[in-house]
Amino acid sequence: MTKRNPYTYLSQSDIAIQIERLVQAIEQHDSPAFRFRQTRASYERVEETRLSRYFTNIRQMMDLFDDRVEYRYSQHLQAFRQAIQDIGLEHRPTGPVCLNEEGTTYLDHHRSMNVLVARIRQLTRELWYSRQKGDRRRQAKQQEGRICDYSDAVVNRYSRTTIVRVDLYYRQEAQVRLRVENVFDDLDRLIRERERNPIFDLETGYICSVEQGEDRGYHIHAAFFFNGNEVRGDIYKAQQIGELWERITRGQGYFNSCNHDQEKKYGNRRGIGIILRSDRNIRPHVHDAVRYLVKDDQQLRMKPLRGKCMRKGLLR
């Protein structure tokens, strides 16, 4: 990500990713947040380390955990949250500070950041932290298997199936105010539309996944399956779903149709559009298309406690 003005208000998604980067950097390096050097004039000079740049938005990072909504956090955010609680980090005009080990006086901001780094480093070496990393990878693999099986079952239903892939985004000006629970609300509205909107009259299945990227923040990847004997215009159908998304988000969202220019994008690895049930050679490409919906590197860093990131239809 590009370097930002430290006084810029960042989105919830950006702050969560910055916390993740900080914790990952602490795992990889053994340096403190800042070092101190005595000058000849007996002054103390603060020197930056390779970790210093991660503390530019420390106030906003602390404020991410405001408890307005119950969230489930990634291991990186859990470690950061636990560390600021453990050391009793408090806001001050000059920057967050904590007490010394004896609890008798407050350390300055830079020394407080060193205490924070030391505590995060301890937490990343605990068993629960490494287990969560492994659990997340296993969950992504299991989801891949489930949605590949699901796509096979849906494609096997009719002699032709039309697969429509759309990416559903939020405009940059909306991302600044966007909270992850708002995305889940919009996804719920989209799924409810399937029950009453004629766009989905011939739908045979769907897969939707809420994700988080460094460049586009919160977004949704979706695949919709239609009876290909009745629905041939996959590009038009993608356009209809994208325009519906724009209405659901009241103009704050936009979309990308993967079905547009699919030959140029995918060549002979095309796994969307009209798929013949009898064409077994195309199935691995269909699997590639749906596996993209649950890739591990764009999982949510925080989500509502009971939120389901990946949704799919029921097999009929």
Side-chain angles (χ1 to χ4, degrees), residues 187 190-191 206-210 220-222 224 309-311:
L187 176 58
L190 176 63
I191 291 174
Y206 74 92
I207 305 168
C208 295
S209 179
V210 182
I220 295 169
H221 293 304
F224 293 91
C309 295
M310 198 268 285
R311 320 274 184 93

Side-chain angles (χ1 to χ4, degrees), residues 32-36 46-49 52 55 109-110 113-114:
F34 299 94
R35 289 194 175 94
F36 307 93
V46 177
E47 295 183 343
E48 292 192 348
T49 71
S52 303
F55 292 89
H109 170 65
H110 296 102
M113 294 303 95
N114 284 351

Side-chain angles (χ1 to χ4, degrees), residues 242-259:
E243 290 171 356
L244 173 62
W245 173 251
E246 291 174 348
R247 293 195 296 276
I248 286 172
T249 59
R250 299 177 180 85
Q252 298 298 301
Y254 69 101
F255 72 99
N256 170 62
S257 164
C258 299
N259 292 71

Side-chain angles (χ1 to χ4, degrees), residues 8-263:
T8 299
Y9 180 81
L10 300 181
S11 69
Q12 184 190 64
S13 175
D14 280 346
I15 287 297
I17 289 173
Q18 288 205 359
I19 292 173
E20 178 181 77
R21 286 181 163 187
L22 167 63
V23 175
Q24 288 174 336
I26 291 171
E27 282 188 273
Q28 294 164 6
H29 307 295
D30 59 1
S31 64
F34 299 94
R35 289 194 175 94
F36 307 93
R37 186 182 300 278
Q38 293 291 330
T39 66
R40 290 182 179 179
S42 297
Y43 291 111
E44 189 175 64
R45 186 173 67 198
V46 177
E47 295 183 343
E48 292 192 348
T49 71
R50 63 181 65 196
L51 296 182
S52 303
R53 63 190 178 94
Y54 294 99
F55 292 89
T56 302
N57 296 292
I58 185 64
R59 290 182 178 89
Q60 291 184 58
M61 292 159 80
M62 290 174 64
D63 291 340
L64 182 74
F65 308 95
D66 60 9
D67 295 328
R68 274 189 276 175
V69 176
E70 284 190 282
Y71 293 114
R72 188 182 301 279
Y73 298 105
S74 69
Q75 74 272 11
H76 305 102
L77 270 63
Q78 282 187 55
F80 181 84
R81 186 188 192 196
Q82 185 64 51
I84 62 176
Q85 291 173 347
D86 289 349
I87 69 173
L89 200 62
E90 301 177 19
H91 282 297
R92 288 290 188 275
T94 55
V97 298
C98 65
L99 290 167
N100 60 11
E101 285 187 15
E102 295 76 23
T104 56
T105 187
Y106 281 97
L107 300 172
D108 61 41
H109 170 65
H110 296 102
R111 285 183 170 82
S112 296
M113 294 303 95
N114 284 351
V115 175
L116 178 61
V117 165
R119 181 57 185 145
I120 290 173
R121 190 168 283 128
Q122 289 174 341
L123 290 169
T124 62
R125 292 169 178 167
E126 292 185 359
L127 186 58
W128 68 267
Y129 184 88
S130 57
R131 275 181 175 169
Q132 274 212 16
K133 282 202 290 190
D135 289 346
R136 191 179 74 173
R137 285 193 291 268
R138 280 191 296 274
Q139 182 186 33
K141 276 292 181 189
Q142 290 168 356
Q143 283 187 338
E144 283 184 12
R146 285 196 294 268
I147 64 171
C148 287
D149 291 344
Y150 176 81
S151 68
D152 279 341
V154 175
V155 169
N156 285 336
R157 187 175 175 194
Y158 292 104
S159 59
R160 289 182 176 86
T161 296
T162 299
I163 303 178
V164 175
R165 266 277 292 114
V166 288
D167 302 318
L168 307 173
Y169 299 113
Y170 292 89
R171 300 189 186 283
Q172 189 172 7
E173 58 271 22
Q175 282 281 355
V176 175
R177 301 180 300 277
L178 190 67
R179 295 173 66 88
V180 67
E181 59 268 23
N182 305 143
V183 185
F184 278 82
D185 289 342
D186 288 339
L187 176 58
D188 288 341
R189 294 186 189 99
L190 176 63
I191 291 174
R192 285 198 299 270
E193 284 287 335
R194 296 174 44 261
E195 304 301 324
R196 54 178 179 261
N197 196 306
I199 293 173
F200 301 101
D201 279 352
L202 294 164
E203 182 216 274
T204 56
Y206 74 92
I207 305 168
C208 295
S209 179
V210 182
E211 298 194 349
Q212 181 179 6
E214 295 192 5
D215 296 326
R216 305 208 196 198
Y218 298 130
H219 58 275
I220 295 169
H221 293 304
F224 293 91
F225 302 76
F226 296 89
N227 179 349
N229 296 314
E230 302 288 342
V231 177
R232 299 294 183 92
D234 59 309
I235 294 174
Y236 177 62
K237 189 63 73 174
Q239 186 77 24
Q240 285 183 306
I241 295 170
E243 290 171 356
L244 173 62
W245 173 251
E246 291 174 348
R247 293 195 296 276
I248 286 172
T249 59
R250 299 177 180 85
Q252 298 298 301
Y254 69 101
F255 72 99
N256 170 62
S257 164
C258 299
N259 292 71
H260 284 70
D261 298 322
Q262 57 186 279
E263 295 297 335

